[in-house]
Amino acid sequence: MLASTSTLCNRAYYTHPSQFSHSKPFLSPHRSHFRKKSKSRSLSLISLRKQSKGSLCIRALAEPQASESVPSDGPLCFSEPCSVKIPVGDRHILVETGRIGRQTSGAVTVTDGETIVYTSVCLADVPSEPSDFFPLFVNYQERFSAAGRTSGGFFKREGRTKDHEVLICRLIDRPLRPTMLKGFYHETQILSWVLSYDGLHSPDALAVTAAGIAIALSEVPNSKAVAGVRIGLVGDKYIVNPTMKEMEESELDLLLAGTDSAILMIEGYGNFLQEEKLLRAVEVGQDAVRVICNEVEALVKKCGKPKMLDAIKLPPPELYKHVEEIAGEELGKALQIRNKVPRRKALSMLEEKVLTILTEEGYVEIDASSGAAETVPELFEDEDEDEEVVVDGEVDEGDVHIKPTLRKSTPLLFSEVDVKLVFKEVTSKFLRKRIVEGGRRSDGRTPVEIRSINSTCGLLPRAHGSSLFTRGETQALAVTTLGDRQMAQRIDNLEGADELKRFYLQYSFPPSCVGEVGRIGAPSRREIGHGMLAERALEPILPSDDDFPYTIRVESTITESNGSSSMASVCGGCLALQDAGVPIKCSIAGIAMGMVLDTQEFGGDGTPLILSDITGSEDASGDMDFKVAGNEEGITAFQMDIKVGGITIPIMRQALFQARDGRKHILAEMLKCSPAPSKSLSKYAPLIHIMKVKPEKVNIIIGSGGKKVKSIIEETGVDAIDTQDDGIVKITAKDLSSLEKSKAIISSLTMVPTVGDVYRNCEIKSIAPYGAFVEIAPGREGLCHISELSSNWLAKTEDAFKVGDHVDVKLIEVNDKGQLRLSRRALLPDADPENPSAKQKTPEEGSGKKVVNAPKDGLAEKNNEEPKDKSSTTKLASSTRSTAAEDAQLPQKKFIRRLVGAAKDRSTTIKDTSKKSSSKEVSSVSSKDETSLVNGEAKIG
C-alpha cells in the first residue's frame, strides 16, 4: 500500500513541478531505516511520516493528499512526444523522447540514417549508503535483430555482455560520471539498446549522445548536458561521425565526449598520428559536441523533469576543519612516505584514529577546552533525605556532600561514512598542495620525471616469448603465444560475418598486485578496457598476415600496481613480441599523464600542473588520467578521463607534448633490456608453411566431408591444415619432418599432371574388373584400364596383377574433372613387330560373343557387335546416355566400348600413333557426354 502511494506521488509530482521548491530538506540517509530490504523499507516510510509530519522526501517528492492530488481511478498523464533534429557533420540526427519508455525517469531514441539507439534512465526510490563512488550502472547491448539476424550461439538469443559491448559501456560511463553532483546516492541505471543497424552508421557514438540526453531529461542532478561524436581523418579531411566505409580509409579513430565548454573524455587509435593532427581532430569534435549540447539544453527546457537537488546530502562543512585539525600534521608526514604499501598502511592507521575521535569519543573544540574551566558544584545526597540548601559554598558536615567539578563541553559526533569521505578529500587536498607548493611528489620526483625502469626478456623458457617490465612500483609480466588460424579469436557481431582476430591482448589485474585479498573470476570491465587499449596501441607495429602467418596472443598479468598498468602492458607486450620473434615494425611505449588543475588554490600561479608517469595516488587525487602510447614519430593509442568539469585544448596540447618526451625516455630505457629480446622464433613455437594452389584444387585437399584433410593430419602428425578459398594453404606443425611430409602429399594432390608424363615404380592400390587404380603420387591415383595393362589381351585384371604390385605407367589423358587415364602398355616394347595383330587379341577373336567382362554391378551389354566405323561408335555412345543416367558405372562401359572399337583401326606399325588416335576418339566421346569416364573411386583426393 505504501509503495503504491509513493508511485502515485511520483506521478503527481511530475504534473506539479512547483512543489519541488517547497520540499523540506532531505533526511539523513545514514540511519538504519534506509536499508533496502522490503520489511525495513515499509517501517522506514512510517517512521519518516512521523518525523516529517507529512513532508516525506523520497526522491525529493512532497507527500500530497491522496484524495486531493491523485484520483483513485483514471488514466496516468504522460507528456506529449518531443523530437528535434540536430546537425552533426554533414547530416542530421533525430532525437525523440516521450514516445517510448514513458515510465522511466528519462528515455530517448537517437536515429542516424537507419541506425536507431534507444536509451533509458531509471533511479532507485530510496538512496543507497553514501560512498565516494557514484552508484551509476551502464548496460549497452547490440540486438542481433537490429541487423536482421540472430546470434550464432546455440541459444539464439543475446547472452552475457560481449567485450565490444563492455567497451561501449565504458565510453558511456566515463564522461557522465564527472558531471554528477556530489552527495546524490540514488542508484542510477542507464540501459542502451541498438534497435536498428544499417551497417553504415556506427551506434557507439550515438549511444554516448543518447545517454547524455537521457540523463539531462531525467531527474538525476548533473551539471551539464553531455554528447559524444566520432572523428575520422581521410586524407586531410576531418569527418564528424564518419560512415563505416569512410572509417576503412581513415588513419584516425577518435571518440570524443564533452559539454558545450569542455572536454570530458577522448579515446582513440591512430597510425602513428602526429600530435598536431590529434589536437585538430579534438577541436573539430569539440565544435560538433557544442552544437549538440546547445540543442539538448533547449530540449531540456521544453520537456525535461525537475532535478532532485533536495536529495543531495553532503557532509557537514565543519567536519573538514575538524579532520584537518586532528590529522593535519601526521597526514603531511604520511604522504611523504615513498613506498606505496607503507604509505597506505600509515594513512589507514591515521584514518582509524580520526574515525575513533569523531565517531566514538567525540571531538572537543580546541578553543573551548584550552580556556579556564568553569567551576560548578555537584550535589550528592541520600535518597531518603530531603535536599538541603548550601549557602556560599560552605561544606556541611551533614548527610549532603558538595564537590566542586569542571564543566565539560559536549563532544561532537559525526557519521562514520561522512568522516571517511571527508578524510579522503582532505588527503587529496594535502597531496595536491604538497605537489604545487614544494614542487615534489610523494616519491620525491619532479612533475616531469619518470620513475626508474627495468626490463627483462626470456624469463619463461617454454613460452614462445616473455618479458617482465618494471617501472617504479608498477610491473607487468607479458607472455606471447604463437599459433595457427585455429587459435584466432572469433567474434560474433552485427556485421553478419564472424570476425577473426589474428592478434589480441588479454589483460588481468589480480588483487595480489596491490597486496590485497579478493575474488578471482571473469574479467572485469576495467580489465577488458585496459586490455583493448594496449592491444590497439601495439596493433600498428605488427607484420601483415602474408609476412608472418601466425595468430598472436599476448597475455599481460599485472604483478605490481602503482600507476598505469595498461601502459606497462604496452611496454611489456612490445618486448614480449620481440622475444617471440615477431618482426615488428618498431618499438612502442606508453605513459600516463596527470594534472592538478586549480593550482591557485595552493599558492600557485593558476597554470595547470601536468604530471608525467603518475602513480595511483596521483591518479585518484588528481584531475586527469591521460594515457598516450606510441613512438618518437607519432601516437598509436590514447585515452583520457577527466575528474573535473573538463579541460581545454591548450591544456591537452601541453600534456601531449610532455607525453612525447616521456615516451622517448621510456623507449631509450627499453633498449637497455637485459637479457635483450631474442628476436628469433622459439624452438617451441609451431612451424607454419604457406602454399599457393589453384583455388579449384582446394576441394581436393579437403575431400568429401573433410575426410582427406583429416587423413593427411593423422598420417603426417601435423597440428592443422588450413585452407582458404583463394588457394592459400597453411600447414602448422611442431617439427619439420611432419611438415615436409604433409607438404609433399598436398603438392602431389594439387599438382597439374601433363599428358605424356611417365611415373615409375607406382603401387597398385586397388583392382577392378575393368582395370587397376595406380597411385602415381601420394594421395593421387589414376585408372589404368585393363586394355592398357598389358600388350596381350587380358580376360581379368587379377590374372596378371594384384594389389601392392609396382608398375611403370604413362599418363595418356586427363578428363574435364581432373581424373587420370594411365597406360602401362605404352611403356612396353612390341611383343611381335612382324605380327601387329598379335599384340592384343580382340574380343571377336577370343570368343565371338563376349565383348568384355561385365562389371560386378551386373550391367549387361546391349550390343555385342563391335561398331564398324567412327560414326557407329558415336551412335553407340549416344544410345547409352539414358543408361548412364540410371547407373554410375555406365561410363566405364562407354570407356571400354570405345577402346574395343578402336582396336580394329589401330595402326600395327607405329605404336605411338595408334595410341594418340585412340586418345582422340575417347576424348570425342567425353565431349558429347559430361559423365566421368572412370569410376568414382578414381576421383582425386
Side-chain angles (χ1 to χ4, degrees):
M1 181 63 185
L2 293 174
S4 62
T5 303
S6 176
T7 304
L8 294 176
C9 293
N10 294 349
R11 302 306 174 199
Y13 176 67
Y14 296 149
T15 57
H16 298 83
S18 60
Q19 296 179 4
F20 184 86
S21 59
H22 302 292
S23 299
K24 292 191 176 182
F26 192 73
L27 300 177
S28 174
H30 310 318
R31 301 183 181 180
S32 60
H33 55 250
F34 277 93
R35 303 295 181 188
K36 297 182 181 179
K37 296 182 180 180
S38 58
K39 293 183 178 179
S40 60
R41 179 179 300 182
S42 301
L43 294 175
S44 66
L45 292 176
I46 298 173
S47 176
L48 283 171
R49 283 194 175 90
K50 292 180 179 179
Q51 295 178 13
S52 59
K53 297 182 180 180
S55 298
L56 175 62
C57 194
I58 299 293
R59 291 183 64 172
L61 307 178
E63 175 80 13
Q65 305 246 348
S67 60
E68 297 177 1
S69 302
V70 182
S72 57
D73 296 319
L76 295 175
C77 297
F78 295 105
S79 59
E80 292 296 326
C82 298
S83 63
V84 60
K85 284 188 176 182
I86 302 177
V88 179
D90 58 354
R91 58 184 185 273
H92 289 75
I93 62 173
L94 176 64
V95 178
E96 294 181 286
T97 183
R99 183 182 301 274
I100 303 178
R102 294 176 299 173
Q103 297 185 39
T104 62
S105 182
V108 296
T109 57
V110 180
T111 305
D112 186 8
E114 292 183 344
T115 298
I116 302 176
V117 176
Y118 166 68
T119 301
S120 66
V121 175
C122 292
L123 58 154
D125 292 333
V126 179
S128 58
E129 291 294 334
S131 68
D132 60 342
F133 194 75
F134 179 71
L136 175 65
F137 306 95
V138 179
N139 213 29
Y140 168 89
Q141 189 178 66
E142 294 178 347
R143 298 286 178 87
F144 286 99
S145 58
R149 56 187 296 260
T150 61
S151 170
F154 178 79
F155 294 102
K156 300 303 177 187
R157 67 174 296 169
E158 288 76 14
R160 72 174 185 88
T161 306
K162 297 181 285 293
D163 288 358
H164 170 69
E165 295 170 331
V166 168
L167 296 174
I168 299 180
C169 288
R170 286 171 53 83
L171 292 176
I172 296 172
D173 181 285
R174 284 158 44 200
L176 290 177
R177 195 171 290 277
T179 66
M180 300 300 178
L181 300 183
K182 292 183 178 180
F184 185 75
Y185 301 118
H186 290 260
E187 290 186 357
T188 304
Q189 185 180 47
I190 298 176
L191 300 180
S192 185
W193 294 281
V194 179
L195 301 183
S196 178
Y197 178 63
D198 58 8
L200 194 61
H201 303 93
S202 179
D204 49 3
L206 292 181
V208 176
T209 299
I213 298 174
I215 286 287
L217 293 172
S218 71
E219 305 157 287
V220 179
N222 65 324
S223 57
K224 285 189 174 183
V226 176
V229 294
R230 168 176 269 105
I231 304 297
L233 177 58
V234 180
D236 294 330
K237 181 181 179 182
Y238 294 92
I239 305 174
V240 179
N241 279 6
T243 62
M244 301 297 290
K245 292 183 179 179
E246 291 171 332
M247 282 303 300
E248 293 176 359
E249 303 175 0
S250 176
E251 59 177 306
L252 170 67
D253 183 5
L254 166 65
L255 201 145
L256 179 145
T259 64
D260 59 350
S261 59
I263 303 165
L264 293 172
M265 182 271 294
I266 64 171
E267 180 167 331
Y269 316 96
N271 188 16
F272 300 100
L273 196 71
Q274 298 293 324
E275 282 79 5
E276 289 295 342
K277 287 187 175 181
L278 176 57
L279 289 170
R280 177 57 186 156
V282 173
E283 290 178 354
V284 173
Q286 178 61 19
D287 293 339
V289 166
R290 184 180 298 109
V291 173
I292 298 175
C293 290
N294 291 336
E295 294 288 341
V296 172
E297 293 291 349
L299 180 65
V300 170
K301 291 180 180 178
K302 181 179 179 181
C303 54
K305 295 177 181 178
K307 299 298 182 180
M308 295 173 55
L309 299 177
D310 284 0
I312 294 176
K313 180 64 177 179
L314 295 173
E318 63 272 14
L319 183 56
Y320 293 86
K321 177 183 176 182
H322 299 333
V323 172
E324 290 185 16
E325 290 177 351
I326 296 173
E329 184 177 352
E330 296 183 53
L331 189 58
K333 294 179 180 179
L335 292 175
Q336 296 179 22
I337 301 175
R338 296 198 172 193
N339 294 331
K340 176 182 178 179
V341 175
R343 182 172 64 250
R344 184 185 66 189
K345 291 182 178 180
L347 291 174
S348 178
M349 293 176 62
L350 183 57
E351 184 184 40
E352 287 296 327
K353 174 183 176 182
V354 174
L355 279 173
T356 302
I357 294 175
L358 293 176
T359 62
E360 297 180 10
E361 299 177 0
Y363 180 74
V364 180
E365 295 286 351
I366 295 179
D367 296 337
S369 60
S370 60
E374 179 183 358
T375 303
V376 295
E378 289 189 0
L379 304 179
F380 298 89
E381 58 178 327
D382 295 336
E383 295 181 0
D384 298 334
E385 300 292 335
D386 296 335
E387 181 178 350
E388 296 186 10
V389 178
V390 180
V391 182
D392 297 331
E394 296 180 358
V395 179
D396 190 2
E397 296 181 358
D399 294 333
V400 178
H401 305 282
I402 302 174
K403 182 180 179 182
T405 59
L406 297 178
R407 175 176 295 173
K408 296 180 181 179
S409 59
T410 305
L412 301 176
L413 297 177
F414 296 93
S415 167
E416 179 179 345
V417 175
D418 286 343
V419 174
K420 287 185 176 181
L421 292 175
V422 172
F423 182 82
K424 180 177 180 181
E425 293 187 30
V426 171
T427 303
S428 175
K429 177 182 176 181
F430 273 60
L431 178 64
R432 294 155 63 93
K433 182 178 180 180
R434 169 181 167 79
I435 296 174
V436 174
E437 289 182 350
R440 292 284 175 176
R441 295 143 82 171
S442 294
D443 52 9
R445 289 182 293 146
T446 63
V448 298
E449 192 174 349
I450 310 296
R451 291 172 291 177
S452 60
I453 294 175
N454 180 37
S455 52
T456 303
C457 283
L459 189 65
L460 308 176
R462 293 304 293 261
H464 300 163
S466 62
S467 70
L468 183 67
F469 179 84
T470 306
R471 180 173 58 211
E473 292 182 301
T474 301
Q475 188 179 77
L477 175 63
V479 179
T480 296
T481 305
L482 305 177
D484 60 355
R485 191 168 180 263
Q486 302 298 323
M487 201 182 81
Q489 188 178 28
R490 190 178 301 273
I491 300 175
D492 196 7
N493 53 31
L494 284 178
E495 299 296 333
D498 289 346
E499 177 185 354
L500 288 178
K501 291 178 62 176
R502 62 178 292 259
F503 169 68
Y504 49 97
L505 188 148
Q506 295 172 332
Y507 165 101
S508 60
F509 191 90
S512 60
C513 69
V514 290
E516 296 178 354
V517 176
R519 296 182 61 186
I520 297 294
S524 64
R525 294 189 172 189
R526 178 181 178 275
E527 290 175 310
I528 293 173
H530 283 25
M532 179 56 65
L533 178 63
E535 175 185 310
R536 296 292 296 269
L538 294 173
E539 198 168 17
I541 67 174
L542 295 178
S544 65
D545 192 20
D546 296 334
D547 297 334
F548 194 73
Y550 284 91
T551 295
I552 307 170
R553 179 197 183 200
V554 176
E555 300 169 81
S556 177
T557 303
I558 306 305
T559 51
E560 290 185 33
S561 179
N562 183 22
S564 178
S565 54
S566 62
M567 295 298 96
S569 298
V570 172
C571 301
C574 179
L575 293 172
L577 288 172
Q578 291 177 307
D579 192 53
V582 180
I584 61 175
K585 300 175 183 177
C586 62
S587 295
I588 292 291
I591 186 171
M593 311 297 293
M595 179 183 66
V596 178
L597 184 61
D598 190 7
T599 58
Q600 195 169 4
E601 178 185 359
F602 309 110
D605 58 359
T607 303
L609 181 61
I610 306 299
L611 306 176
S612 297
D613 185 24
I614 57 175
T615 61
S617 59
E618 293 166 345
D619 182 9
S621 301
D623 300 324
M624 179 182 73
D625 181 14
F626 192 6
K627 303 180 180 72
V628 187
N631 61 0
E632 303 94 333
E633 304 299 328
I635 299 170
T636 58
F638 51 91
Q639 181 185 96
M640 183 186 72
D641 294 314
I642 300 298
K643 301 180 179 66
V644 291
I647 64 172
T648 58
I649 298 295
I651 298 176
M652 186 178 296
R653 182 187 303 274
Q654 180 184 351
L656 279 174
F657 284 100
Q658 190 169 321
R660 183 177 64 180
D661 296 337
R663 292 200 310 274
K664 291 180 180 180
H665 172 79
I666 297 172
L667 287 170
E669 293 296 319
M670 289 170 60
L671 293 176
K672 303 176 184 178
C673 178
S674 178
S678 66
K679 297 185 179 180
S680 61
L681 205 64
S682 169
K683 63 180 181 180
Y684 300 111
L687 302 175
I688 296 182
H689 178 74
I690 300 179
M691 301 176 63
K692 177 67 175 178
V693 302
K694 290 186 175 182
E696 59 269 18
K697 299 290 185 180
V698 172
N699 290 334
I700 298 176
I701 302 174
I702 299 175
S704 177
K707 293 180 180 179
K708 191 62 183 177
V709 70
K710 291 178 182 177
S711 66
I712 297 174
I713 294 175
E714 293 176 359
E715 180 181 350
T716 61
V718 298
D719 292 337
I721 299 176
D722 180 38
T723 59
Q724 301 178 13
D725 294 337
D726 58 356
I728 297 294
V729 180
K730 296 181 181 179
I731 308 172
T732 305
K734 294 179 180 178
D735 55 86
L736 187 60
S737 60
S738 60
L739 181 67
E740 291 294 339
K741 189 175 181 181
S742 62
K743 175 184 172 183
I745 295 176
I746 294 175
S747 298
S748 302
L749 286 173
T750 58
M751 71 176 181
V752 181
T754 303
V755 174
D757 290 345
V758 177
Y759 303 94
R760 303 289 184 182
N761 197 31
C762 300
E763 182 181 357
I764 297 177
K765 288 293 186 179
S766 60
I767 292 178
Y770 46 84
F773 291 97
V774 182
E775 185 181 51
I776 61 174
R780 194 69 185 272
E781 297 180 3
L783 173 64
C784 187
H785 193 264
I786 189 173
S787 61
E788 297 291 341
L789 281 172
S790 174
S791 300
N792 300 319
W793 181 83
L794 292 177
K796 293 183 179 180
T797 306
E798 296 89 341
D799 293 344
F801 301 97
K802 63 180 183 297
V803 174
D805 289 349
H806 289 76
V807 295
D808 297 338
V809 292
K810 183 177 182 179
L811 180 62
I812 58 177
E813 184 183 357
V814 181
N815 71 356
D816 295 339
K817 295 187 176 182
Q819 297 166 330
L820 310 179
R821 177 186 169 209
L822 307 173
S823 174
R824 176 176 175 272
R825 183 169 59 84
L827 300 178
L828 297 176
D830 291 338
D832 188 1
E834 300 296 332
N835 187 11
S837 60
K839 289 169 49 180
Q840 181 173 354
K841 190 177 296 184
T842 63
E844 292 89 343
E845 296 170 348
S847 62
K849 294 182 180 180
K850 185 176 181 181
V851 177
V852 70
N853 283 347
K856 291 183 179 181
D857 56 7
L859 288 177
E861 297 290 351
K862 292 187 177 181
N863 190 352
N864 292 332
E865 296 184 2
E866 189 65 26
K868 300 297 181 182
D869 53 16
K870 184 176 180 180
S871 61
S872 62
T873 302
T874 305
K875 292 180 181 179
L876 177 60
S878 176
S879 65
T880 57
R881 289 180 183 175
S882 59
T883 308
E886 297 174 1
D887 198 299
Q889 294 292 342
L890 185 56
Q892 298 170 8
K893 292 201 300 177
K894 289 193 291 183
F895 181 66
I896 297 170
R897 287 175 181 171
R898 188 65 215 116
L899 291 176
V900 173
K904 292 181 65 177
D905 299 332
R906 187 180 294 118
S907 173
T908 59
T909 56
I910 303 176
K911 181 177 180 181
D912 292 339
T913 304
S914 64
K915 187 166 64 64
K916 289 181 181 179
S917 175
S918 175
S919 298
K920 290 181 180 179
E921 291 177 357
V922 173
S923 299
S924 67
V925 176
S926 175
S927 64
K928 292 177 178 293
D929 193 338
E930 296 181 357
T931 308
S932 59
L933 295 178
V934 295
N935 190 289
E937 295 177 355
K939 291 183 179 179
I940 301 171

